[in-house]
Amino acid sequence: MSNEIQILVMTHGNLGRELIKTAAMFVPQTETIGFIGLYEEDSIVVYQEKLSKLLDHSKDLLILTDMLTATTTRIAIQTLKRGRVEIISGINLIMLITAHREKNMYNIDELCELVHNIAKQDIVNIRKHIYEVEERGEICLYEILVI
């Protein structure tokens, strides 16, 4: 483990704030997660200023954004110049919970990889998954969840 890792959520509107509030149901101390919302009335300059105010340059930084091609990610990319920064787009609840829970167990590169992999594993077409599990003769996820 190396430097302490700052987690910052950058989303449109209050999406990130609500994800952080919901994550608090699963992990403690979510108030340490930074949040910057981009609102309709915000200019790009205002959003960049919000970002600069939240950065702790003594820490590594993991930024979770809502959409790959959106302003939130384009502004986040500007932080890559400072080094020790990783950005993952497509934030969801499991990503945030994992990042927060594991941030003291891994370095920034390992944490980024872990969060990215967890997110990919958690996005599943349930009908197709049930069919594939049943085809292999394994315990059906549907039966476990419904019981």
Side-chain angles (χ1 to χ4, degrees):
M1 184 175 65
S2 60
N3 285 347
E4 188 177 341
I5 299 173
Q6 177 185 10
I7 298 172
L8 179 59
V9 176
M10 297 176 65
T11 65
H12 290 82
N14 286 321
L15 175 64
R17 179 176 284 125
E18 294 304 318
L19 282 169
I20 293 167
K21 283 170 48 178
T22 305
M25 296 170 62
F26 301 93
V27 290
Q29 299 174 325
T30 56
E31 64 278 355
T32 62
I33 300 169
F35 165 70
I36 305 172
L38 176 63
Y39 301 94
E40 199 171 336
E41 65 275 7
D42 289 341
S43 69
I44 290 177
V45 172
V46 167
Y47 198 62
Q48 288 168 324
E49 289 170 357
K50 288 180 184 181
L51 175 58
S52 330
K53 288 177 187 173
L54 277 182
L55 294 181
D56 181 341
H57 292 278
S58 68
K59 297 180 182 178
D60 293 346
L61 176 62
L62 176 61
I63 300 177
L64 304 173
T65 67
D66 52 0
M67 296 188 329
L68 176 62
T69 59
T71 301
T72 52
T73 302
R74 291 196 315 268
I75 299 297
I77 286 170
Q78 296 173 11
T79 64
L80 291 173
K81 292 179 260 179
R82 72 168 249 208
R84 307 307 305 149
V85 175
E86 294 293 342
I87 303 168
I88 305 174
S89 65
I91 188 172
N92 62 32
L93 187 57
I94 193 66
M95 290 170 67
L96 183 58
I97 290 169
T98 301
H100 183 64
R101 186 185 59 222
E102 304 296 331
K103 70 181 180 178
N104 297 322
M105 305 300 292
Y106 298 94
N107 67 41
I108 187 67
D109 301 318
E110 295 166 336
L111 182 63
C112 182
E113 188 69 23
L114 174 68
V115 170
H116 185 245
N117 288 335
I118 290 289
K120 289 191 299 187
Q121 291 170 12
D122 205 55
I123 298 172
V124 175
N125 176 325
I126 297 297
R127 180 178 300 282
K128 182 178 177 186
H129 182 73
I130 290 170
Y131 176 77
E132 289 169 353
V133 167
E134 288 175 343
E135 284 291 306
R136 292 190 304 263
E138 298 172 9
I139 295 175
C140 179
L141 177 65
Y142 176 76
E143 292 171 359
I144 293 170
L145 293 176
V146 174
I147 294 176

